[in-house]
Amino acid sequence: MIKARFPYTLVVIFICLLSSVSVFAQSKKQQELENRRQELRNEIEQINSMLFKNKSKEKSQLSLIQDLNHKINVRSNLIKVTNQQANLLTREIGVNQREITQLREDLENLKKDYAQMIVHSYKSRSEQSRVMFLLSSSNFQQAYKRLQYITQYTTYQKEQAASIKIKTEDLKVANANLLKQKADKQELIKDNSIAQGQLELERRQQRTLMASIQKDLKTYSSQIKQKQQEANKIDREIEKLIREAIAKSNKKAGKSTTAKGFALTPEAKSLAASFVANKGKLPWPVQKGVVTLRYGNQPHPIVKSATIHSNGVRIATSPGAEVRAVFNGEVYAIIVQKKGNPTVLVQHGNYFTAYKNLSKVYVKKGDKVVTSQAIGQVFTNSSTGDTTLSFSIFKESTTQNPSLWLYKM
């Protein structure tokens, strides 16, 4: 009787192990989705705070529609992630329900077996019957095997009692988890319903603004072109300064001034190596912010015929926000152009970081700066209420994608 149950026990253990692995994988995925959902919710809060709160009525329709588009994209992603969570919970609930059914069946079988053992034990409860069972053996080997059987049977009886207790507790935990999962799913459905309503409202606003913009598309195209020219001008100035820095380093090292790369000192090499080692882990240049323009060439979200060329990222932040150095380095230049706001250029070996559109500058050329040190303040446009920092990274004079360098951009 006992030996026959060992294979069954092994099968049950194997199934439980597979189930545990599956549940662990699902729980990990659920946590990843929840983390992403919270990130998106926080981003929407920052968008509301930095792009839509206390904004001037003079804010251009072009800026409004760009901000609204960004908000719609983030909210759409939030709805998508929440749906993924709800669907995963549905699958987890199904798994749990099947597990509970199996636990109930196992518990019922254990109780039946245990009841039969109790009856059998009661019938053969006297010590005399056990002794007679041993003495009636035909030889010593048979008596030894019968003694082993009695010992195993008693042990198995105790194990069955313990198994019943464990299964009962497992069933309680599974039921509690199931109730929590169902409550979590209802909460997700409720959140998504609210988000869907907000998304529809924002899309109606978007359609209204788009209809207004279409009436005067030429004017908006001209504004976009002018902004691109201003951005290109400061980028050309930065690239010129970097080329000059490369030439100076090579001249100082006794090399050709036409060489494309830096002739770095051992100290500068070490700094550059540390900068590279921290790729993906650098702090943001502002404490809080929302990326409103990403790196690279991209079609304008409103005027499809226009192309945006971005050598860095544009980050909307709060009025009065301070700009922070993203890594140790030396201030190579403070760039001030006519009809433009200051730019701070910081050197990190053969890498440079540029912080554009500042209202105040706390450092001067030649100053040593450390990671997260405040180097200035972001400019706030009094007419529109926008507070936006443009940030770029260069290796020599080649632009880099800041989202690959800054932490979780």
Side-chain angles (χ1 to χ4, degrees), residues 135-153:
L135 292 176
S136 63
S137 303
S138 57
N139 53 51
F140 177 78
Q141 186 176 5
Q142 189 181 58
Y144 178 72
K145 286 184 177 180
R146 287 185 177 186
L147 179 61
Q148 277 189 314
Y149 170 78
I150 292 171
T151 304
Q152 287 178 359
Y153 189 81

Side-chain angles (χ1 to χ4, degrees), residues 99-109 171 175:
E99 184 183 345
I100 287 170
T101 300
Q102 187 62 52
L103 279 170
R104 283 175 178 157
E105 289 177 1
D106 291 348
L107 186 57
E108 192 62 30
N109 290 332
L171 189 57
N175 277 320

Side-chain angles (χ1 to χ4, degrees), residues 168-217:
T168 303
E169 290 301 317
D170 288 347
L171 189 57
K172 286 180 182 177
V173 171
N175 277 320
N177 287 339
L178 184 62
L179 289 173
K180 184 179 183 304
Q181 286 174 329
K182 287 181 176 179
D184 288 345
K185 182 181 175 181
Q186 288 304 312
E187 189 64 29
L188 288 172
I189 291 170
K190 179 183 174 183
D191 286 351
N192 240 15
S193 177
I194 294 169
Q196 288 282 5
Q198 291 169 329
L199 181 63
E200 184 53 40
L201 177 63
E202 289 158 1
R203 281 179 172 161
R204 284 201 297 269
Q205 293 173 344
Q206 181 192 48
R207 288 192 290 269
T208 302
L209 283 169
M210 282 297 295
S212 175
I213 285 173
Q214 291 299 323
K215 295 176 184 177
D216 201 3
L217 206 57

Side-chain angles (χ1 to χ4, degrees), residues 43-297:
E43 189 171 354
I44 288 174
E45 286 181 10
Q46 290 191 19
I47 288 171
N48 287 333
S49 173
M50 296 171 187
L51 299 181
F52 291 93
K53 187 178 179 181
N54 299 324
K55 292 300 180 186
S56 168
K57 290 182 180 179
E58 294 181 32
K59 186 179 178 78
S60 72
Q61 287 184 314
L62 193 62
S63 294
L64 280 171
I65 192 71
Q66 285 176 308
D67 294 345
L68 192 56
N69 279 353
H70 184 61
K71 189 177 179 181
I72 285 171
N73 287 336
V74 175
R75 198 180 297 282
S76 297
N77 284 335
L78 174 63
I79 290 170
K80 180 181 177 182
V81 169
T82 308
N83 277 333
Q84 289 175 339
Q85 268 190 285
N87 292 337
L88 183 58
L89 267 176
T90 299
R91 293 195 292 273
E92 287 182 356
I93 287 169
V95 170
N96 260 2
Q97 285 175 331
R98 290 192 293 273
E99 184 183 345
I100 287 170
T101 300
Q102 187 62 52
L103 279 170
R104 283 175 178 157
E105 289 177 1
D106 291 348
L107 186 57
E108 192 62 30
N109 290 332
L110 282 170
K111 286 180 177 179
K112 284 180 182 178
D113 286 351
Y114 190 68
Q116 290 174 0
M117 281 191 293
I118 293 298
V119 171
H120 180 73
S121 296
Y122 179 79
K123 288 180 179 179
S124 57
R125 65 188 181 279
S126 69
E127 288 296 326
Q128 185 178 1
S129 62
R130 293 185 183 183
V131 172
M132 290 302 297
F133 179 62
L134 291 173
L135 292 176
S136 63
S137 303
S138 57
N139 53 51
F140 177 78
Q141 186 176 5
Q142 189 181 58
Y144 178 72
K145 286 184 177 180
R146 287 185 177 186
L147 179 61
Q148 277 189 314
Y149 170 78
I150 292 171
T151 304
Q152 287 178 359
Y153 189 81
T154 303
T155 302
Y156 182 67
Q157 195 174 4
K158 290 178 181 178
E159 287 175 353
Q160 287 289 83
S163 295
I164 289 171
K165 186 177 179 181
I166 292 168
K167 288 283 183 185
T168 303
E169 290 301 317
D170 288 347
L171 189 57
K172 286 180 182 177
V173 171
N175 277 320
N177 287 339
L178 184 62
L179 289 173
K180 184 179 183 304
Q181 286 174 329
K182 287 181 176 179
D184 288 345
K185 182 181 175 181
Q186 288 304 312
E187 189 64 29
L188 288 172
I189 291 170
K190 179 183 174 183
D191 286 351
N192 240 15
S193 177
I194 294 169
Q196 288 282 5
Q198 291 169 329
L199 181 63
E200 184 53 40
L201 177 63
E202 289 158 1
R203 281 179 172 161
R204 284 201 297 269
Q205 293 173 344
Q206 181 192 48
R207 288 192 290 269
T208 302
L209 283 169
M210 282 297 295
S212 175
I213 285 173
Q214 291 299 323
K215 295 176 184 177
D216 201 3
L217 206 57
K218 286 185 179 179
T219 301
Y220 291 117
S221 295
S222 177
Q223 290 178 9
I224 293 165
K225 187 176 180 181
Q226 184 181 351
K227 283 186 176 181
Q228 185 68 66
Q229 287 174 345
E230 291 170 357
N232 291 344
K233 188 177 179 182
I234 186 66
D235 285 337
R236 285 195 299 271
E237 181 64 24
I238 291 170
E239 289 167 10
K240 177 186 172 185
L241 288 169
I242 294 174
R243 286 195 300 270
E244 289 175 357
I246 292 172
K248 285 179 184 177
S249 73
N250 283 291
K251 183 178 180 181
K252 191 174 181 180
K255 296 181 179 180
S256 171
T257 55
T258 59
K260 292 184 179 180
F262 274 92
L264 297 175
T265 64
E267 182 184 5
K269 281 183 181 179
S270 177
L271 180 60
S274 294
F275 187 80
V276 173
N278 281 275
K279 187 175 183 178
K281 297 180 284 187
L282 298 176
W284 281 40
V286 287
Q287 191 170 12
K288 291 182 180 180
V290 176
V291 177
T292 57
L293 179 65
R294 294 206 170 259
Y295 174 84
N297 293 330

